[in-house]
Amino acid sequence: MNDSITTRAAGAAPATAQINLRLLADGHGIIESHHGDDEQRFAPPADFAAQANVGAEAYVQASRDRLGFWADQARQLHWHREFTEVLDWSEPPFAKWFADGEINASFNALDRHVLAGNGDHVALLWEGEPGDRRSITYAELLDEVSRLANVLTDLGVEAGDRVAVYLPMIPETIATLLAVARIGAVHSVVFGGFSADSLRARIEDAEAKLVVTADGSWRRGKISPLKPVVDQALAAGTTVEHVLVVRRGGNEVDWQSGRDIWWHEAVPQASAEHEAQGFPAEHPLFILYTSGTTGRPKGILHTTGGYLTQTSYTHRAIFDAKPETDVYWCTADVGWITGHSYVAYAPLINGVTQVIYEGTPDTPDWGRWWQIVERYKVTVLYTAPTAIRSFMKVGRETVLAHDLSSLRLLGSVGEAINPEAWLWYHEVVGSSRAPIVDTWWQTETGAILAAPLPGVTSTKPGSAQRAIPGVALDIVDDAGTPVDPGSGGLLVVNEPWPSMLRGIWKDPKRFVDTYWETFGDRYFAGDGARFDEDGDIWLLGRVDDVMNVSGHRLSTTEIESALVDHHAVAEAGAVGIADETTGQAVIAFVVLKRNQHLVSKSEAEAVLRRHVADLIGAIARPRRVYIVAELPKTRSGKIIRRVLRDLAERRPVGDTTTLADGGVITAITAQIEQASTVKPG
Ligand code: PRX
C-alpha cells in the first residue's frame, strides 16, 4: 500500500510532501487518539450563545447562496460607489471581488464612526513598555490620519506607490497604515525585528518611495534602535525618497537632511482636513512578505474590498465584536498578518475599543499581560499557543494573581494548539467559562477560514473545527480526491474567498506555481489536515514538516503534541534527520517546565522517549530527546524546525535571518555535545 502523498509543496521547486495516511487511518487520527479526551467538548455557555452576533443560521444562509452571503457582508461597509458584481472568477486563479465598487479603507475605519456620532468612542488604549499610556478616540485618530495623509501627499506619495513601514507597536503605526490606505498607496510593513538586510530586500522588491520608522522602541527595558537599521538598509541607494521618523525611543540618530523628516515636525502642522476618496475594490491595499520554501520572501498582495469584507465579518462572527462594550486585545505585532487583519483593520472597521501594548510579555515580569487585562478590563483576548505555553511554563500563579473576570472570549492563532495548552488556556485564563476560538488561516488567506463560531460550536481542544460560513474547505489526497474521515490529506480551499491573496508582488508565475498548480483552481494551503467523524478539522502541520521513519510517515505536530502532553514539558520541537537504516529518525528538542520533578536530563530523556512511544507507538519513539533551555524561533514565535534539523544533523545552520535570537544556536549545540557523551536514556 502506498500511503504517501506526492505533491508540489509550497514554493516553485517540485518537492515531495508526505503524509502518513496509514498511520492516521489505522491509528484513527493523531491528536485526538493520544489524549484520551477526544470526547471532551465544550458547549457554548447559554448566556454567551444567547447574545452572540452570529448564530447557526449563517451556515445555512451561506450554503444556500454563497455569493449573496458575501455581498451582504460587503454591504456592512461604506462604499463610495456600490458594487453590482460580487465575484469574477473568469480567469482563475486571479479573482476579482466586488470589482465595480469603490471603497476607502480608512473612511470605513474612521470617518464612518465619527459621522455616526461615535467620535468620542475610544479606538486605542495604548500602553508603552515603560508604563506610559495613551487613550485615543476615533475622532482623534481620524485627525491624526488626515494630517498624515496630507503630509504623505506633500511628500509626493500617490495612489499605487509603496510605503515601507518599520515601526514598533505604537499608535502612530496604526495611523500610518490607515493614512497610506486613505490615499490609495500600498503599505509594506516589515517587522521591527528584521535585520537591515531583510528590510533592504523588502524595500527593493516593493520599490518603496517612502519609509516610515521610529528612532527606536522599548523592548525588555531597553531601547531597540530602528532608524539606524533603516539608514543601513538604505545605505547602498534605493528608490526611497524620504524617511519619516516618529520620536519614540529618544535615542540619538543620524540625520540625512532633505531625506529625513521628523513626524512631530511635519504631522501636527499639516491640515486636518482630508477627504477620503473611493478606490476600486481591487485596488492594492498592502504587500506583506512571508517566507516560502525558497530563501526569497514572497510579497503577498492583498486588495481592498474583499479583504475588508472578510476581516470585518470574521471579527464580528468569530470574536463576537460588540463595539459598545468590548475591550478587544490581539497581542500580534503589526509586522505579521494577524496584526494587519485583526489589529489595524477589522477592530477599527467594527468600531471597537482595542488595547495595544508595545513591549514583551515578560517585562518587567510575566505578570504584565494579566495586569493589562485587569487594568483595561479586556473582554476578548487573541493570542498564540506559543505564548500560552510560555505562561504554562511560568506557572498559573502568575496569571491567577490578577482579576481576569472581564474576559469573555479567547482566541488562538499561528499553529495548532495542543490540547493541553487549550485546556490550560480555558481553565486558567478563561476561568473555565470563556469559549476558545482556534482560528486557522494564513498570510495568504488574509482572514480566518476555519474556526468555531463561539455562540454555536461545541469546541474540541486542539481542533480548528469548521470552515467559516461562506468558505469551502476540503481535505484531499494527491490526486485531489477527498479523503475519508480519520485519514490525513492536504487542506484545500475549493472556492475563491473575498480576502484571498491576489498574487505575489511582481511574480504571477510564482503565485500560480505555489498555490494553484497542484489542484487546478483549488487553493493548496500547504497544510496537512484530517476530518474527524464529526467533520471537524484537525491541522497536522505543514506538509513540508513531515517525517518518514521506516516507511512510516509521522507529522511533527503529532510527536510534539505527544511530548507536550507530558506534564513536565513546556515546549517541544521534533524533526526527522537522515538515517541510513530507517530513512529518517525522530529527534526531539524539549524545554521542560520550571519546577518539574525529573531529576536529570538523562532521566527526562528516557521518560519522554517512552511517553511518545506509549502515546503513538514504538515507531514514533524519538532517537534522542535533547533537553534544551530554549527553541529556535521566528520573531513571531514559530519554532524553526529547519534550524533544529541542521543542529541535530550537526551541519552548519543555514539561513538564520528569521531567527529571533541567534544565541540559541550556540546554546543548543553545546547541549547536544554534552548529551552525546551520555548514553540515550
Ligand atoms: O501551518 C498553518 C499555521 O500557520 C500557517 C500560516 O502562517 P502565517 O502565514 O505566518 O500566518 C499565521 C497567522 C494567521 C498555516 O499554514 N497555522 C496558523 N493558524 C493555525 C495554524 N495551524 C494550525 N492551527 C491554527 N489555528
Side-chain angles (χ1 to χ4, degrees):
M1 172 183 162
N2 179 0
D3 59 359
S4 74
I5 293 177
T6 306
T7 186
R8 295 284 297 270
T16 301
Q18 294 159 327
I19 297 208
N20 188 344
L21 292 181
R22 187 168 55 211
L23 198 111
L24 293 175
D26 295 350
H28 238 355
I30 305 181
I31 303 169
E32 233 178 347
S33 59
H34 299 157
H35 290 268
D37 53 15
D38 48 315
E39 292 313 313
Q40 207 166 2
R41 300 252 207 302
F42 294 83
D47 54 342
F48 192 103
Q51 56 78 63
N53 287 348
V54 174
E57 71 287 348
Y59 293 111
V60 180
Q61 191 203 346
S63 68
R64 252 189 228 139
D65 178 9
R66 200 176 86 87
L67 296 184
F69 169 82
W70 283 121
D72 287 349
Q73 307 318 323
R75 287 192 196 101
Q76 304 281 318
L77 300 167
H78 172 88
W79 291 83
H80 275 71
R81 185 177 153 208
E82 292 295 323
F83 57 88
T84 61
E85 238 175 72
V86 180
L87 169 67
D88 175 356
W89 189 232
S90 57
E91 292 170 53
F94 299 93
K96 295 194 186 92
W97 283 86
F98 317 115
D100 61 347
E102 285 182 4
I103 192 164
N104 186 295
S106 173
F107 186 94
N108 274 279
L110 302 170
D111 308 55
R112 199 166 50 126
H113 306 310
V114 174
L115 290 171
N118 295 321
D120 292 338
H121 193 57
V122 174
L124 309 178
L125 287 166
W126 177 78
E127 188 164 307
E129 197 187 74
D132 44 340
R133 294 180 215 162
R134 286 167 69 186
S135 166
I136 298 167
T137 64
Y138 276 89
E140 288 164 346
L141 192 56
L142 173 60
D143 181 279
E144 182 90 341
V145 167
S146 300
R147 290 175 198 273
L148 180 57
N150 286 321
V151 169
L152 296 178
T153 304
D154 289 348
L155 291 174
V157 180
E158 293 174 8
D161 286 345
R162 275 78 58 207
V163 174
V165 178
Y166 190 67
L167 280 165
M169 288 304 280
I170 53 177
E172 287 81 357
T173 307
I174 307 300
T176 299
L177 268 49
L178 294 176
V180 169
R182 191 173 185 90
I183 62 170
V186 182
H187 54 77
S188 166
V189 181
V190 180
F191 176 61
F194 272 123
S195 66
D197 273 352
S198 306
L199 176 60
R200 181 179 38 75
R202 287 159 175 75
I203 288 173
E204 270 175 12
D205 189 72
E207 298 168 278
K209 201 168 191 178
L210 176 85
V211 182
V212 187
T213 189
D215 49 1
S217 76
W218 287 93
R219 240 188 111 70
R220 292 216 163 82
K222 291 203 289 267
I223 295 295
S224 163
L226 292 167
K227 167 85 167 40
V229 182
V230 172
D231 289 339
Q232 208 183 328
L234 302 183
T238 66
T239 47
V240 172
E241 293 169 10
H242 292 287
V243 180
L244 184 61
V245 189
V246 179
R247 187 149 69 196
R248 167 63 188 150
N251 47 310
E252 286 261 324
V253 290
D254 290 340
W255 207 251
Q256 193 169 312
S257 64
R259 186 194 73 178
D260 300 346
I261 296 147
W262 281 114
W263 177 295
H264 62 264
E265 288 176 1
V267 179
Q269 268 90 310
S271 160
E273 297 300 316
H274 187 278
E275 194 183 332
Q277 76 176 83
F279 292 96
E282 285 297 339
H283 188 75
L285 182 62
F286 65 87
I287 305 168
L288 183 60
Y289 288 86
T290 185
S291 29
T293 49
T294 68
R296 204 162 48 89
K298 301 180 279 198
I300 303 299
L301 174 68
H302 284 286
T303 60
T304 313
Y307 175 82
L308 298 179
T309 298
Q310 194 172 338
T311 51
S312 58
Y313 171 69
T314 48
H315 187 251
R316 283 194 301 278
I318 297 159
F319 298 114
D320 196 47
K322 302 256 194 292
E324 290 85 26
T325 48
D326 267 329
V327 178
Y328 164 89
W329 184 22
C330 168
T331 64
D333 191 280
V334 77
W336 313 111
I337 190 67
T338 310
H340 282 59
S341 302
Y342 297 105
V343 178
Y345 287 104
L348 296 174
I349 301 278
N350 287 335
V352 307
T353 296
Q354 70 174 319
V355 169
I356 293 182
Y357 167 59
E358 178 188 32
T360 63
D362 57 347
T363 307
D365 57 55
W366 284 99
R368 185 63 184 266
W369 276 19
W370 313 110
Q371 194 188 64
I372 290 175
V373 169
E374 181 174 0
R375 173 174 303 134
Y376 301 101
K377 299 194 169 34
V378 172
T379 56
V380 180
L381 177 69
Y382 189 26
T383 191
T386 182
I388 297 158
R389 289 194 301 265
S390 299
F391 287 111
M392 287 171 78
K393 195 162 72 175
V394 172
R396 63 177 62 203
E397 301 72 29
T398 309
V399 180
L400 294 175
H402 296 272
D403 175 7
L404 308 183
S405 58
S406 55
L407 286 172
R408 67 181 190 94
L409 180 61
L410 304 174
S412 174
V413 63
E415 60 180 305
I417 177 165
N418 49 297
E420 208 207 5
W422 195 105
L423 291 166
W424 193 91
Y425 195 27
H426 179 69
E427 191 189 319
V428 180
V429 180
S431 310
S432 303
R433 180 178 38 82
I436 295 182
V437 285
D438 177 6
T439 62
W440 175 83
W441 58 296
Q442 311 176 296
T443 304
E444 290 89 338
T445 69
I448 296 166
L449 294 193
L453 283 181
V456 177
T457 317
S458 280
T459 52
K460 286 180 195 171
S463 165
Q465 315 256 200
R466 296 286 159 119
I468 63 160
V471 166
L473 298 178
D474 212 341
I475 300 172
V476 301
D477 64 16
D478 60 338
T481 310
V483 299
D484 293 332
S487 299
L490 304 171
L491 188 60
V492 295
V493 190
N494 280 342
E495 314 259 17
W497 63 101
S499 64
M500 67 195 282
L501 76 166
R502 299 301 198 267
I504 293 177
W505 186 250
K506 293 200 300 199
D507 202 345
K509 182 174 181 309
R510 192 175 180 195
F511 169 61
V512 175
D513 289 350
T514 305
Y515 306 105
W516 304 95
E517 210 180 60
T518 317
F519 300 118
D521 57 7
R522 282 181 297 178
Y523 171 86
F524 172 44
D527 279 340
R530 68 180 173 80
F531 285 121
D532 67 16
E533 297 293 339
D534 301 326
D536 286 314
I537 301 167
W538 296 77
L539 272 304
L540 304 175
R542 300 289 304 188
V543 289
D544 28 20
D545 278 335
V546 174
M547 293 173 258
N548 182 333
V549 180
S550 303
H552 296 265
R553 282 93 200 215
L554 300 165
S555 134
T556 48
T557 315
E558 84 186 298
I559 293 174
E560 289 166 2
S561 187
L563 287 163
V564 177
D565 176 88
H566 192 279
H567 60 81
V569 174
E571 272 198 298
V575 293
I577 67 162
D579 183 273
E580 271 179 17
T581 320
T582 56
Q584 279 189 309
V586 180
I587 302 290
F589 294 81
V590 162
V591 181
L592 296 179
K593 283 180 195 158
R594 283 189 207 158
N595 309 326
Q596 44 74 30
H597 299 294
L598 298 169
V599 288
S600 68
K601 283 188 176 180
S602 63
E603 189 206 347
E605 171 162 15
V607 166
L608 294 176
R609 291 178 69 227
R610 206 176 323 121
H611 187 70
V612 175
D614 285 347
L615 286 182
I616 305 176
I619 184 65
R621 186 199 318 264
R623 170 76 44 87
R624 297 274 340 215
V625 175
Y626 294 116
I627 309 299
V628 296
E630 218 183 320
L631 295 171
K633 288 186 184 165
T634 61
R635 292 164 183 92
S636 64
K638 260 197 202 99
I639 296 169
I640 315 180
R641 296 195 183 80
R642 183 181 46 73
V643 168
L644 286 177
R645 212 170 292 128
D646 289 345
L647 288 167
E649 301 201 312
R650 310 216 186 170
R651 58 172 181 238
V653 174
D655 177 24
T656 55
T657 50
T658 55
L659 199 61
D661 170 14
V664 73
I665 293 180
T666 322
I668 297 180
T669 307
Q671 279 146 351
I672 292 176
E673 290 305 328
Q674 192 199 8
S676 336
T677 60
V678 181
K679 193 168 96 29

